[in-house]
Amino acid sequence: MAGKELTYAQLLETNSLIQQNADETYWLCATRTVQESKIFPVSAYILFSYLNCFYRYAMLLKKIEEHMSAEEIGDRARNSGIKIVAWTIPCFYLLGREMLINWGVIKPTDAVDDVVYVMDFWKRFQLSWHRNNGNLTNRMANHRGQILPEQRLQVYHADAFECRIGDELHTAAQNFMATIAQYGFLVSCECRVTTHNHGPYKISDTREMLVREFRELAEHDYPWLDGVGQDIPYNNLTVTMMLEGIHITLLDDWGSFESEPEMKPEHIVAVGLYTQDNLTHVPLPVGMGSREELTATFNDLTARIKAATAKLWEQMAGWTRDQQLDAGALVYFAIAKEMAHIAGCYDVNDWMMIDERTERFRPLLNDEYGNLFLGELVGYISTPSQRMHDYYMMQHTDLPRRALSYFPYSMLQDKDYAPTVGPMRPGASNLPAKVDRYRTSQGVLSQEEYNRRSREFVPDPCNEKFRFLCTDWVKYHYDTPLADELFKLEQQHSRLLKGKGAGLTRADIEALRAKG
Amino acid sequence: MAKLMVDSDKYGYQSEFAAVEAYNSMVKDLVRKRFAAAGRPWREFVFGPDEAVLTKADMEAIEAQLLALGYRFTPSAMSSAIERPNAYKDAGLDNPDFSFEHEGAPTAAPDADGRELRGAGDNVVTYEKNLTGIARYVRTSDKVLEYLTKGVPPDTIAIVDDSGGTLTAPVLEGFKGVLCAGGTTRSHLAILTREYGIPCLMNSRLSGIKDGDRVEVEISARAKTGEDYAHGIDASARVWRLTKA
């Protein structure tokens, strides 16, 4: 972007992408309210993170694209899972812009090259990640997130073990999911970015499947998991969960879901467990050899996670406010860091530091101001920059408000704006220095070694031979050797489907499950 | 004095909250002064190579101005008030006689069964029967640490301030039920109680419930959905204090 003349078409698209996020901002935030915690100054750290995103994202995403395009990262993320990046990347960034506009520190026209780039990166990533459903966001699919291809879903469907409320597997799975969800909130300082759900996927007339991703569990990027997470053998775990007797009515861009009727433990009728990261070809089954093995695995992981939860809670409860502010802000800001891992250019100084430009605003962010300003920005949509003329009707509320400021088209003629925030600046953190130890599916690696392996690794389904063999190709070529090869990649670790190839239907999978 | 672009806003004049407006106005005022003093076009000033725009010391001075007027901030995190007691109001977390006294809490005299209406909240999951237990406030990390080391007392229906999942993380599983004074049925605490199968009311408006009171919670009421919130539909479940043994 830099140095190129801004076009009318670019501004039109950028404003449209901004609006895609603006309406959803209100809906997502108003239905959940401002988060508070007695441990963390949540609103204050959220605002702090927004500023860090604004000052750093454009440069960091460009650095990622020097290694890999946003759309290829989307392919990799679809293959190996990723945290919630749908709403977060653009909105954390744009809300930082909104804060600075309201402070008069920038004009709505400033940093336009950066914003055009960030929104374009996000669009290309989202389109790729969502390529199996054709939507930019879950919102556009009426709050549904069908990400995975048939060959992956068939394996998940086939290998999930049946369970019923009260039996050992059901009890173990339910305890595990509650424990890991709680650990996730603690790891991410009261936010939920380490947990992601997608789906629903239709299993039968009475069953739907949710795929639940629990990430950032072990010693990896967060300094506060050094030591605490050392007994957790997987950084990411994926739970496949089949539900009966309910319909998932909503799965939003934060990965939250609602069902009709509301989900209760008895609705869970089958589960599976896997691990995956950017160094795996396909998901690796965890304890999936038998029901008994899976039950024992869930129980073992639950015990490890409970122990880590207690250790982490005691550590966090003793933090200073500045440490809490940094940790929370870094969790939000660094939500995009998985993309740097995928591209093999992760640097702790890029992602685990508060930029010196952000740091200037720390003294403003007391608890009260944090709650009120954040409440205005994402709940009330009432800051001066968000007010519109009286004829305007915002989606959901009909009020004359708009959550995120557009770029005025007049800037195509009036050039008195700064197109970019400029290059990266140094950062700092009040947290202990990160130990150079990263748990991956290929063992515990240093940052340098992890980056090297990431740059060299291409998951089989993403290599040039298979990358573009999408659902629409399979539809017309399922009876070819190449389709068989594609499906067998996914089936290589499957208990029931290994070597079965591309010809099976969902009904065939059900029949195989019935046979055991 | 220099004029900023946002000074000529036809539709937006002030923020909703006075405290936000006060802060934001002081920052804007500083930017006006610095821009005027810089004597450069905006495009050179705004992300300028030096720190002439704003500094951390500037922000500290803004806060000092507010505190000098006698203003004290309402705390959310315990660390805020503990580290800076002169900047934050006392949240009263250590008051053993504490009870929530929310303005919108519905109350009524005891019925024939001795059930005295003392509040309402948003039900997370509908259960077949209502829940009874002992109300216990859980508002500090000291209380959580006590429960972590000694165990959660049986029959505890925890009353908590906020909708987060971190304060009670290591002990939540031991609660029989939760009454949360904040959040919605989509908040983190709601998600966690749903996962654990622990009955919970969010956004609870309570009055006169003391630590140790026996309470009944109407968890048989309809669960409140995201659509209910989006359209302002009330779907409250009631909370009673049980005055008969």
Side-chain angles (χ1 to χ4, degrees):
Chain A
M1 278 301 306
K4 289 184 189 170
E5 196 71 14
L6 192 65
T7 68
Y8 184 40
Q10 279 178 315
L11 276 192
L12 286 167
E13 182 175 48
T14 301
N15 283 340
S16 174
L17 292 171
I18 288 172
Q19 185 57 42
Q20 296 293 331
N21 287 284
D23 290 331
E24 195 65 352
T25 294
Y26 170 79
W27 187 85
L28 285 167
C29 297
T31 55
R32 197 173 294 173
T33 74
V34 173
Q35 286 290 351
E36 287 189 87
S37 161
K38 281 281 172 284
I39 301 279
F40 289 95
V42 178
S43 300
Y45 83 54
I46 289 175
L47 294 177
F48 208 35
S49 80
Y50 290 168
L51 295 172
N52 220 40
C53 294
F54 181 77
Y55 284 119
R56 288 198 158 193
Y57 266 8
M59 298 307 135
L60 291 177
L61 296 182
K62 282 178 184 169
K63 180 177 175 180
I64 288 168
E65 283 217 281
E66 286 171 11
H67 299 265
M68 192 181 288
S69 68
E71 47 272 32
E72 191 171 351
I73 289 170
D75 289 339
R76 301 290 185 95
R78 189 173 357 93
N79 186 61
S80 60
I82 198 160
K83 290 199 290 195
I84 309 161
V85 292
W87 179 87
T88 53
I89 287 181
C91 289
F92 291 174
Y93 177 75
L94 292 170
L95 287 164
R97 171 176 175 250
E98 213 64 36
M99 289 171 69
L100 292 166
I101 291 171
N102 278 288
W103 285 339
V105 174
I106 65 169
K107 299 197 291 188
T109 48
D110 288 322
V112 64
D113 285 3
D114 293 348
V115 178
V116 169
Y117 174 72
V118 170
M119 298 310 290
D120 182 64
F121 179 103
W122 173 75
K123 177 193 74 180
R124 287 180 287 124
F125 171 84
Q126 286 290 114
L127 289 174
S128 172
W129 190 45
H130 272 271
R131 86 173 188 187
N132 288 318
N133 65 64
N135 292 294
L136 187 61
T137 59
N138 290 3
R139 168 183 178 262
M140 289 176 76
N142 198 22
H143 290 123
R144 180 168 287 172
Q146 296 203 313
I147 303 298
L148 299 177
E150 183 189 25
Q151 58 269 30
R152 176 74 53 88
L153 294 168
Q154 285 194 337
V155 172
Y156 284 165
H157 176 191
D159 290 346
F161 285 101
E162 291 286 313
C163 60
R164 293 294 180 274
I165 191 160
D167 73 30
E168 286 186 351
L169 177 57
H170 192 286
T171 303
Q174 185 65 23
N175 286 343
F176 170 78
M177 282 188 280
T179 303
I180 200 170
Q182 186 157 54
Y183 180 62
F185 284 127
L186 197 59
V187 166
S188 51
C189 306
E190 191 54 75
C191 69
R192 51 153 309 146
V193 303
T194 58
T195 305
H196 197 182
N197 301 298
H198 50 91
Y201 301 100
K202 196 168 179 69
I203 297 299
S204 71
D205 287 344
T206 57
R207 286 187 174 193
E208 295 178 1
M209 179 168 66
L210 275 183
V211 178
R212 313 194 67 184
E213 312 264 10
F214 300 99
R215 304 177 76 85
E216 211 87 58
L217 306 171
E219 290 181 319
H220 199 66
D221 294 328
Y222 296 150
W224 49 96
L225 289 189
D226 289 337
V228 165
Q230 69 181 356
D231 292 333
I232 298 178
Y234 309 101
N235 193 46
N236 305 324
L237 286 166
T238 300
V239 176
T240 57
M241 190 170 85
M242 283 191 220
L243 303 164
E244 189 166 70
I246 61 171
H247 170 49
I248 302 296
T249 52
L250 177 160
L251 200 148
D252 64 31
D253 286 292
W254 283 354
S256 298
F257 62 88
E258 285 188 6
S259 63
E260 184 62 44
E262 74 268 24
M263 193 183 94
K264 293 181 184 174
E266 57 262 37
H267 294 125
I268 301 171
V269 292
V271 289
L273 183 65
Y274 300 83
T275 187
Q276 54 188 333
D277 64 14
N278 67 303
L279 298 179
T280 50
H281 290 289
V282 295
L284 303 173
V286 176
M288 291 287 285
S290 66
R291 285 176 57 84
E292 293 70 26
E293 185 189 346
L294 184 58
T295 303
T297 303
F298 274 134
N299 287 335
D300 175 62
L301 288 168
T302 299
R304 289 169 187 268
I305 292 167
K306 276 187 178 169
T309 299
K311 276 196 276 186
L312 183 58
W313 185 88
E314 287 185 48
Q315 181 192 135
M316 286 175 158
W319 275 353
T320 66
R321 187 179 188 276
D322 278 344
Q323 288 177 313
Q324 293 165 350
L325 201 67
D326 285 1
L330 290 171
V331 164
Y332 261 49
F333 157 71
I335 199 157
K337 69 181 169 53
E338 289 196 39
M339 296 175 168
H341 280 305
I342 290 171
C345 62
Y346 180 83
D347 185 337
V348 69
N349 294 308
D350 288 342
W351 293 103
M352 285 293 129
M353 297 293 164
I354 301 296
D355 190 280
E356 64 181 13
R357 292 164 290 190
T358 306
E359 178 64 25
R360 295 176 297 167
F361 297 100
R362 185 188 297 267
L364 279 187
L365 300 174
N366 63 66
D367 293 4
E368 179 178 303
Y369 178 70
N371 284 338
L372 295 177
F373 194 20
L374 183 66
E376 288 214 29
L377 278 168
V378 302
Y380 294 90
I381 320 287
S382 58
T383 67
S385 73
Q386 295 170 312
R387 307 268 185 162
M388 295 295 292
H389 60 74
D390 294 333
Y391 301 99
Y392 191 88
M393 297 167 75
M394 175 187 152
Q395 192 181 10
H396 301 298
T397 69
D398 294 339
L399 291 170
R401 314 278 169 89
R402 190 164 64 199
L404 300 167
S405 293
Y406 289 1
F407 283 94
Y409 297 101
S410 60
M411 60 190 297
L412 293 164
Q413 293 168 327
D414 173 8
K415 307 288 185 187
D416 189 20
Y417 60 83
T420 173
V421 301
M424 285 281 288
R425 299 259 199 103
S429 163
N430 293 292
L431 295 159
K434 173 76 186 85
V435 176
D436 191 17
R437 208 164 53 215
Y438 297 79
R439 166 79 69 180
T440 75
S441 59
Q442 296 187 4
V444 177
L445 308 174
S446 68
Q447 177 185 290
E448 187 182 354
E449 178 62 11
Y450 186 14
N451 278 333
R452 187 187 67 76
R453 293 194 193 195
S454 296
R455 285 194 298 271
E456 291 174 359
F457 185 80
V458 182
D460 288 338
C462 298
N463 68 27
E464 288 307 309
K465 184 174 179 181
F466 298 111
R467 182 180 171 198
F468 299 120
L469 303 186
C470 59
T471 298
D472 290 270
W473 177 85
V474 168
K475 176 178 165 68
Y476 297 109
H477 299 84
Y478 76 98
D479 51 356
T480 63
L482 188 58
D484 258 350
E485 209 180 328
L486 174 69
F487 274 61
K488 284 174 181 173
L489 282 179
E490 294 287 345
Q491 296 164 350
Q492 61 187 297
H493 305 297
S494 169
R495 199 177 68 257
L496 292 186
L497 296 190
K498 187 176 173 67
K500 293 268 194 273
L504 299 174
T505 63
R506 195 183 67 182
D508 296 329
I509 305 286
E510 276 293 284
L512 281 169
R513 282 176 63 78
K515 275 198 273 179
Chain B
M1 180 78 74
K3 189 175 177 185
L4 305 176
M5 186 169 172
V6 292
D7 288 337
S8 303
D9 187 339
K10 182 178 180 184
Y11 315 126
Y13 173 56
Q14 286 196 333
S15 293
E16 188 85 12
F17 299 116
V20 175
E21 183 59 28
Y23 260 105
N24 294 4
S25 294
M26 283 193 274
V27 178
K28 275 188 279 194
D29 196 41
L30 206 53
V31 177
R32 284 187 205 100
K33 286 177 186 162
R34 295 290 159 78
F35 181 41
R40 287 178 280 166
W42 178 266
R43 62 182 173 275
E44 293 172 22
F45 166 77
V46 60
F47 300 124
D50 51 38
E51 292 300 323
V53 184
L54 293 171
T55 66
K56 190 172 179 180
D58 289 331
M59 299 301 122
E60 285 166 350
I62 285 175
E63 186 190 63
Q65 271 180 270
L66 276 177
L67 293 176
L69 295 171
Y71 195 84
R72 295 295 177 265
F73 310 122
T74 303
S76 296
M78 287 180 301
S79 59
S80 305
I82 290 169
E83 289 180 19
R84 302 182 66 206
N86 295 327
Y88 283 87
K89 295 172 192 164
D90 179 5
L93 295 177
D94 298 325
N95 178 4
D97 203 34
F98 176 84
S99 64
F100 279 127
E101 298 299 340
H102 296 125
E103 260 183 36
T107 57
D111 62 17
D113 296 325
R115 299 192 311 169
E116 180 185 34
L117 184 63
R118 279 287 156 200
D122 303 344
N123 195 15
V124 175
V125 174
T126 305
Y127 292 85
E128 199 174 326
K129 292 179 180 170
N130 288 350
L131 180 78
T132 57
I134 310 295
R136 292 190 173 93
Y137 284 91
V138 182
R139 309 187 70 214
T140 65
S141 53
D142 286 347
K143 175 60 76 177
V144 174
L145 199 57
E146 178 191 321
Y147 286 174
L148 186 61
T149 49
K150 296 179 182 170
V152 177
D155 257 5
T156 295
I157 295 179
I159 306 183
V160 301
D161 290 69
D162 56 65
S163 55
T166 48
L167 176 69
T168 55
V171 296
L172 178 67
E173 199 182 357
F175 297 147
K176 187 176 185 183
V178 175
L179 296 173
C180 175
T184 73
T185 56
R186 290 165 55 81
S187 297
H188 295 169
L189 188 62
I191 293 169
L192 285 173
T193 53
R194 186 184 289 118
E195 296 272 9
Y196 275 115
I198 300 170
C200 175
L201 302 191
M202 301 297 294
N203 185 33
S204 299
R205 290 86 66 198
L206 305 172
S207 175
I209 296 177
K210 302 278 185 173
D211 207 271
D213 282 348
R214 285 190 70 238
V215 294
E216 177 177 335
V217 184
E218 193 183 21
I219 57 172
S220 58
R222 181 169 81 82
K224 188 159 180 171
T225 66
E227 284 303 298
D228 290 335
Y229 289 107
H231 296 105
I233 298 167
D234 181 43
S236 291
R238 291 167 291 181
V239 180
W240 297 273
R241 183 165 61 187
L242 302 178
T243 58
K244 289 182 181 173

